[in-house]
Amino acid sequence: MKVAAMSRESALRLVGPLLVGVAALLVWQLLCTAYAVPIYLFPKPTDIWSSFAANLPELMRALSVTLIVTLQAFVLAVVVGTAIAFVFNQSRLVEACLFPYAIILQVTPIVAISPLIIILVKDTRVALTMCAAIVALFPIISNTTLGLRSVDPGLINLFKANKASRLQTLARLRIPSALPYFFAGLRISSGLALIGAVVAEFVAGTGGMGSGLAYEILQAGFQLNIPLMFAALGLITAVGIVLFLVMAGISNAAIGSWHESHAEERGPR
Amino acid sequence: MLRNTMKKTAGAGLVSLPLAVVEVKGAQKTFPNGFHALDPVDLTVRSGEFLTLIGPSGCGKSTLLGLMTDLIKPSSGQMRWWGGTFDSTGAAGKRLSIVFQDATLMPWATILANVRLPLDLAKVSRGEANERVRAALAKVGLAGFEDRLPRQLSGGMRMRVSIARALVTEPDLLLMDEPFGALDEFTRNKLDADLLELWRDRKLSIVFVTHSIYEAVFLSTRVVVMAARPGRIARVIDIDAPWPRDEEFRGSPRFAALCSDLSRALKEASEESGGQAAGGER
Ligand SMILES: Nc1ncnc2c1ncn2[C@@H]1O[C@H](COP(=O)(O)OP(=O)(O)OP(=O)(O)O)[C@@H](O)[C@H]1O
Ligand SMILES: [Mg+2]
């Protein structure tokens, strides 16, 4: 009974948005056809599709470039961000001294620093990865730091009363307690890594070194190839959605059985 | 062992050093924010006794229990455990366990892993630990629930899990802060009876905090009545009703008389408390 209810719920979550999307595409197609909008102003979905099909090899190559930069940056941000959060957690002093700089890193627009990084770092791919990682870093640091601190005080007392060592408390209490926060951070951060990669590519792309999806968009823009612009844009969006879904899946697999954010029907405690 | 040499009645004349489980020697507590929660308290928990702390809300029962578990350090005065410092606890014959007001389970861990925690922290081998966990769960009537998660159990069951976790280390002293406060009367009575059985079987010493006069009378060999503002011991009452105590005892005139004695003592303590007096029940 609960299973049936659950699957109806998840079916709604899948079918609903899909229907809305299809309807929007239909309306778009119909309006463009009805008013005979020129393709160089606003292409129909079918135009975009044929452009996508025609440029498939080129787009896939660009996609792989953007994807690699995004994933590298994401992994880098997760590793570095988690490490920083652990250091912050071990020492209040270090956290107090360094956290403001993490915020500075966060509030400085990546568009503003990426030209500098691209000039300073010779290898463009490395520079792009660094830019994207900087954007993706903060949510990991702040969420993981918060998570490592958000431990049930009762459990802390329990561990203390059982004379748990610092390491035992970290491994058996702080880390599991931090997981929900960490995964929430992952979800935000994966999207930001993609945004960072695309923005940095835009900045670098004019230098002639980039060759990812943003570069495709730039090139298509210069050539007034609007359908290709849309096709590249659609691919970027698709990557973002897939990233989000993968993160949600990992999170669900790791903490779905116990954490409230994944609760099915659950009474008050 | 020592505690076997002593009868379970907490006779006042029996006080002698070796039998002291926990000694509170003039310990007082002023919290860092300047709040004076506890006047100097002198209290000895004797081996094998069932000592209950009762008093108006905010009178420092949890603070006193915190001192006994070393989770709160006294501002002045001294605490002794089996005649030594807290560091000396944990060895055979000197084990203590705590049961908190709420079950305090790790939501991500199975019941088995939750109960096994104290053994894991003490680096007991997995196989032996699992065996002891199963035994402890059976003792609280939760055999077969090993693989559940805490959220899949009722409140009363979660409380029993936390009692099993306290028992799994085979403690000599059990400190319980309103363990059944959130449960319905029926479940509470049942768990009270189970607790008494455990206490008698294992020859435990128990320090128990409650708001319920009935619970205090039913369980205790000795009741410490506390007063508030500042927190202090107002009276100590021996509950010398015979053992074993069962449902019949609850209905007896002796029980009623003891309850009304305690109720009166509690009322006096509330009136002695500074500020507006809070009732015994929340
Ligand atoms: N960490 C703290 N800092 C400051 N004041 C505290 C702290 N902990 C407790 N107090 C205060 O000390 C007093 C005693 O608290 P305690 O928790 O021991 O009361 P209690 O007798 O257990 O009450 P209850 O029956 O409501 O649980 C209260 O007035 C409380 O506000
Ligand atoms: Mg309390």
Side-chain angles (χ1 to χ4, degrees):
Chain A
M1 162 203 93
K2 190 175 261 177
V3 174
M6 268 304 285
S7 60
R8 203 179 312 141
E9 166 77 18
S10 50
L12 181 73
R13 289 190 166 277
L14 189 68
V15 175
L18 277 180
L19 280 180
V20 171
V22 170
L25 284 177
L26 269 178
V27 171
W28 177 356
Q29 179 82 19
L30 288 176
L31 284 178
C32 283
T33 317
Y35 292 97
V37 181
I39 192 169
Y40 55 85
L41 279 186
F42 210 86
K44 297 188 285 290
T46 45
D47 297 333
I48 296 168
W49 178 255
S50 39
S51 169
F52 175 75
N55 297 290
L56 195 59
E58 176 63 15
L59 281 174
M60 284 301 132
R61 201 200 40 73
L63 171 68
S64 75
V65 171
T66 302
L67 205 54
I68 288 171
V69 170
T70 303
L71 292 181
Q72 280 175 345
F74 180 51
V75 170
L76 190 65
V78 171
V79 172
V80 173
T82 311
I84 291 177
F86 271 94
V87 172
F88 281 2
N89 185 248
Q90 289 308 301
S91 159
R92 261 264 137 81
L93 181 73
V94 174
E95 183 188 341
C97 294
L98 293 185
F99 202 80
Y101 293 98
I103 295 174
I104 289 176
L105 206 59
Q106 156 79 359
V107 297
T108 311
I110 189 64
V111 198
I113 11 173
S114 49
L116 188 64
I117 295 177
I118 288 164
I119 291 170
L120 288 179
V121 181
K122 264 224 189 81
D123 187 328
T124 316
R125 292 276 174 90
V126 176
L128 295 183
T129 304
M130 279 179 63
C131 293
I134 287 171
V135 182
L137 190 61
F138 188 75
I140 303 278
I141 296 179
S142 66
N143 272 39
T144 312
T145 306
L146 180 65
L148 287 170
R149 227 187 287 146
S150 306
V151 181
D152 177 354
L155 283 171
I156 295 260
N157 278 341
L158 179 74
F159 273 68
K160 263 193 214 157
N162 281 290
K163 299 184 170 176
S165 69
R166 229 180 141 87
L167 197 65
Q168 283 176 323
T169 310
L170 183 69
R172 291 176 178 276
L173 182 57
R174 287 195 188 278
I175 290 178
S177 302
L179 283 183
Y181 296 83
F182 172 72
F183 283 118
L186 277 195
R187 238 174 296 172
I188 304 169
S189 178
S190 63
L192 286 180
L194 178 64
I195 293 175
V198 171
V199 168
E201 241 179 61
F202 267 116
V203 176
T206 48
M209 297 285 286
S211 45
L213 284 172
Y215 180 74
E216 288 297 321
I217 291 180
L218 276 178
Q219 285 300 314
F222 290 145
Q223 298 156 11
L224 274 184
N225 188 349
I226 311 296
L228 185 58
M229 279 180 95
F230 270 95
L233 178 61
L235 264 182
I236 292 175
T237 311
V239 171
I241 293 172
V242 169
L243 273 179
F244 182 89
L245 289 178
V246 169
M247 290 307 129
I250 293 176
S251 165
N252 193 35
I255 59 170
S257 60
W258 62 271
H259 194 251
E260 313 293 340
S261 62
H262 297 275
E264 67 256 28
E265 216 164 279
R266 203 171 291 172
R269 304 205 41 165
Chain B
M1 293 223 298
L2 290 178
R3 57 183 183 278
N4 296 339
T5 63
M6 183 189 170
K7 285 223 297 263
K8 274 243 186 59
T9 48
L14 276 171
V15 192
S16 60
L17 217 67
L19 295 176
V21 177
V22 182
E23 290 160 277
V24 187
K25 295 177 165 178
Q28 60 165 317
K29 183 67 193 178
T30 306
F31 282 107
N33 67 355
F35 185 84
H36 184 58
L38 213 54
D39 255 3
V41 165
D42 280 292
L43 180 66
T44 301
V45 181
R46 298 176 205 130
S47 181
E49 80 173 325
F50 198 126
L51 181 81
T52 295
L53 307 178
I54 197 168
S57 186
C59 68
K61 303 181 292 295
S62 297
T63 307
L64 184 52
L65 208 70
L67 290 173
M68 293 185 184
T69 53
D70 202 42
L71 291 172
I72 297 177
K73 315 283 181 209
S75 310
S76 71
Q78 246 201 341
M79 299 293 305
R80 309 296 278 170
W81 289 267
W82 288 279
T85 61
F86 190 78
D87 289 336
S88 68
T89 66
K94 297 180 179 179
R95 296 207 175 93
L96 60 85
S97 285
I98 313 174
V99 178
F100 297 100
Q101 181 160 2
D102 48 9
T104 328
L105 303 176
M106 300 177 287
W108 56 85
T110 60
I111 299 308
L112 183 79
N114 262 296
V115 176
R116 200 179 53 213
L117 179 75
L119 301 178
D120 286 345
L121 292 176
K123 303 203 171 77
V124 176
S125 77
R126 199 41 76 88
E128 187 199 332
N130 282 344
E131 207 166 293
R132 284 168 65 179
V133 169
R134 276 175 223 288
L137 280 173
K139 199 145 284 161
V140 297
L142 284 177
F145 287 88
E146 287 84 356
D147 297 327
R148 301 275 192 101
L149 288 171
R151 66 174 180 82
Q152 296 168 318
L153 302 187
S154 74
M157 289 160 104
R158 283 202 287 267
M159 215 53 237
R160 278 188 273 170
V161 172
S162 99
I163 292 172
R165 180 180 60 198
L167 293 176
V168 80
T169 52
E170 312 212 313
D172 305 278
L173 170 65
L174 198 54
L175 301 138
M176 309 174 93
D177 194 351
E178 288 184 58
F180 312 136
L183 304 179
D184 67 273
E185 186 118 356
F186 180 78
T187 313
R188 177 195 280 222
N189 288 351
K190 165 91 176 64
L191 290 181
D192 280 350
D194 293 349
L195 181 62
L196 273 190
E197 207 167 293
L198 276 168
W199 171 68
R200 293 173 63 81
D201 282 358
R202 300 256 186 126
K203 303 187 169 61
L204 289 168
S205 313
I206 297 185
V207 181
F208 191 90
V209 175
T210 183
H211 275 115
S212 163
I213 290 168
Y214 308 110
E215 198 174 34
V217 170
F218 184 73
L219 293 173
S220 320
T221 54
R222 201 152 65 113
V223 177
V224 171
V225 180
M226 295 180 68
R229 280 170 290 263
R232 71 206 119 103
I233 293 179
R235 273 191 69 187
V236 180
I237 299 175
D238 285 324
I239 306 289
D240 46 6
W243 300 94
R245 297 174 186 168
D246 50 17
E247 282 311 305
E248 207 172 300
F249 172 57
R250 277 188 204 279
S252 69
R254 181 101 188 82
F255 184 75
L258 285 165
C259 285
S260 77
D261 279 357
L262 181 56
S263 172
R264 203 173 314 118
L266 199 57
K267 188 151 172 289
E268 282 165 17
S270 294
E271 280 157 5
E272 286 166 27
S273 298
Q276 94 287 17
E281 294 283 346
R282 267 199 284 214

